[in-house]
Amino acid sequence: MSELDLPGDRGCLRWVLGVPLAALVYLPASLSCYLALVMQPQSPHDRVREDIRFMAGVCVFLCLVGLLITLTPVFRRTLGRWWFALPFLLAALAYVRAQTV
């Protein structure tokens, strides 16, 4: 029986799997992380602190969803290991921002 993964087909499959993953999961996660980093509370009792924590939580949630999708065998076999780096970095930034507001 021959292998299903042909080197020539892998490049196209990376685009088919990677672009929707990046556009539907990592782009909104990046936007929510950016918003959490940019927002600045004016006073210690400002409501913006809760908004920052919420946006950071959304980023961490989306990164976890992206990691779970990337852990599936089809994605893990097709995409490289660097696809794990972006969600870890974004989630770490968002978590640190939520804790230091």
Side-chain angles (χ1 to χ4, degrees):
M1 206 180 246
S2 67
E3 280 190 34
L4 296 176
D5 294 330
L6 298 175
D9 293 342
R10 191 173 260 183
C12 181
L13 189 57
R14 284 183 183 157
W15 281 97
V16 169
L17 294 176
V19 170
L21 179 65
L24 297 175
V25 177
Y26 295 145
L27 187 64
S30 300
L31 179 64
S32 64
C33 185
Y34 174 75
L35 289 174
L37 291 172
V38 170
M39 290 192 284
Q40 297 292 329
Q42 299 297 325
S43 70
H45 303 291
D46 197 359
R47 182 161 167 85
V48 175
R49 289 182 189 277
E50 292 152 13
D51 295 337
I52 292 171
R53 288 190 180 115
F54 176 76
M55 293 306 291
V58 167
C59 178
V60 170
F61 174 75
L62 287 173
C63 288
L64 288 175
V65 168
L67 280 172
L68 288 175
I69 291 171
T70 308
L71 283 174
T72 59
V74 172
F75 280 86
R76 192 178 38 182
R77 189 176 24 183
T78 306
L79 302 175
R81 290 184 182 177
W82 69 274
W83 280 88
F84 293 106
L86 181 64
F88 278 124
L89 178 67
L90 285 175
L93 280 172
Y95 180 77
V96 168
R97 177 62 177 162
Q99 296 300 317
T100 59
V101 173

